């Protein structure tokens, strides 16, 4: 079946949709509860707003379906492809598995209780802005400015190529991941990186209660830890450390350490090689 126009499935409840196409028009599915969609295709604008309780599987969202899923709660999505931007905003209790988002611009904004497994994000800016209570296992992303203003997250097995990531976050732990981009973790609080590889200029500055456990650094990293309070164990070499505020840093080898008149008090960070 095919639906188009204005609000064709408005106020639908306890409905399962199979092989449905949403064409032109706006707000095809709105103010609904307990929906299932399998093998459906969405082309119209804003097709899935104010829905409480939904399972979406094997579906396709076209570029025209921008801002498709907002203000919806208790949603599970699996095995889907999304080509539209600005998805998943102002939501609670969202789970995605095996989902590919090809235009991740302004996606996942202000989502509370977000669970991702094997998700790919491509292109766009500021995904995950302001999310809270996030769990990720398997993420590949080349979007810019990821995980800004996020609170309470655990991220595993991620490969993130970006810029300005994890800014002003609180209570984030990242395990077994590659974090490649400039200005990682600036102004963060309680950021913990475990067995991660870090690449990019000026990582981990202005951080409070920063912890690194068995992490590695790309040779191009420089001016790391400036104005940060940090406890770090580094495997291998780190090229340059600059003006950490306090804490303890140990590495197998260190190219250079810069401590100058601009260091902040108490200026007592212990830096040593094994």
């Amino acid at each position: 079946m095919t639906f188009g126009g204005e609000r064709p499935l408005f106020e639908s409840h306890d409905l399962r949709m199979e092989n449905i196409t949403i064409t032109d028009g706006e707000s095809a599915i709105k103010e609904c509860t307990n929906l299932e969609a399998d093998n459906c295709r969405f082309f119209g604008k804003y097709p899935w707003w104010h829905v409480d309780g939904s399972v979406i599987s094997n579906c396709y969202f076209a570029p025209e379906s921008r801002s498709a899923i907002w203000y919806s709660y208790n949603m599970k999505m699996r095995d889907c492809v999304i080509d539209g931007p600005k998805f998943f905003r102002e939501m609670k209790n969202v789970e995605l598995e095996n989902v590919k988002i090809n235009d991740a611009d302004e996606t996942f904004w202000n989502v509370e209780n977000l669970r991702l497994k094997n998700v790919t994000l491509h292109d766009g800016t500021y995904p995950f802005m302001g999310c809270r209570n996030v769990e990720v296992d398997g993420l590949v992303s080349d979007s810019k400015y990821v995980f800004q203003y996020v609170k309470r997250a655990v991220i595993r097995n991620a490969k993130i190529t970006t810029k300005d990531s994890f800014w002003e976050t609180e209570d984030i732990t990242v395990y077994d991941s590659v974090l490649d981009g400039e200005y990682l973790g600036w102004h963060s609080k309680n950021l913990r990186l475990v067995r991660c590889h870090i690449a990019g200029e000026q990582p981990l500055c202005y951080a409070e209660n920063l912890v690194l456990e068995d992490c590695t650094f790309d040779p191009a990293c420089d001016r790391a830890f400036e104005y940060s309070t940090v406890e770090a164990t580094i495997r291998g070499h780190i090229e340059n450390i600059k003006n950490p505020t306090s804490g303890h840093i140990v590495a197998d080898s260190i190219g250079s350490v810069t401590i100058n008149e601009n260091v902040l008090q108490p200026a007592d960070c212990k830096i040593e090689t094994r």
Side-chain angles (χ1 to χ4, degrees), residues 163-167 181-186 200-205:
K163 184 177 181 179
D164 298 7
S165 59
F166 295 94
W167 270 56
E182 299 173 342
Y183 318 126
L184 168 67
W186 280 38
E201 293 185 357
Q202 291 183 261
L204 305 168
C205 300

Side-chain angles (χ1 to χ4, degrees), residues 155-171:
I155 299 165
R156 302 176 187 273
N157 305 309
K159 184 177 181 181
I160 297 172
T161 305
T162 185
K163 184 177 181 179
D164 298 7
S165 59
F166 295 94
W167 270 56
E168 292 199 38
T169 57
E170 291 186 25
D171 303 320

Side-chain angles (χ1 to χ4, degrees), residues 37-62:
D38 184 66
N39 199 32
C40 298
R41 297 168 64 82
F42 298 88
F43 294 90
K45 294 180 181 178
Y46 328 128
W48 201 283
W49 278 46
H50 296 281
V51 177
D52 187 3
S54 57
V55 177
I56 304 172
S57 57
N58 304 300
C59 290
Y60 172 69
F61 291 83

Side-chain angles (χ1 to χ4, degrees), residues 227-262:
Y227 303 137
S228 292
T229 58
V230 54
E231 295 289 333
T233 58
I234 298 167
R235 291 188 291 112
H237 181 77
I238 181 169
E239 183 58 31
N240 177 248
I241 295 169
K242 183 177 181 180
N243 284 346
T245 300
S246 65
H248 182 205
I249 301 169
V250 59
D252 291 330
S253 62
I254 301 172
S256 64
V257 175
T258 303
I259 304 293
N260 60 28
E261 68 279 6
N262 298 315

Side-chain angles (χ1 to χ4, degrees), residues 88-155:
F88 310 111
R89 293 171 68 163
E90 309 297 337
M91 298 176 65
K92 292 182 179 179
N93 305 329
V94 179
E95 297 183 17
L96 274 68
E97 183 173 358
N98 300 328
V99 174
K100 186 174 184 180
I101 303 175
N102 290 314
D103 184 353
D105 194 43
E106 299 181 12
T107 291
F108 300 119
W109 276 23
N110 296 322
V111 180
E112 185 173 353
N113 302 330
L114 175 63
R115 309 286 180 265
L116 304 183
K117 185 174 182 180
N118 299 331
V119 171
T120 299
L121 304 183
H122 175 62
D123 217 351
T125 58
Y126 297 104
F128 304 104
M129 175 80 78
C131 288
R132 303 167 303 283
N133 303 331
V134 179
E135 293 184 10
V136 175
D137 189 357
L139 172 67
V140 176
S141 174
D142 63 8
S143 302
K144 292 182 179 179
Y145 319 123
V146 297
F147 293 106
Q148 293 211 10
Y149 308 108
V150 172
K151 295 183 179 181
R152 300 180 300 278
V154 177
I155 299 165

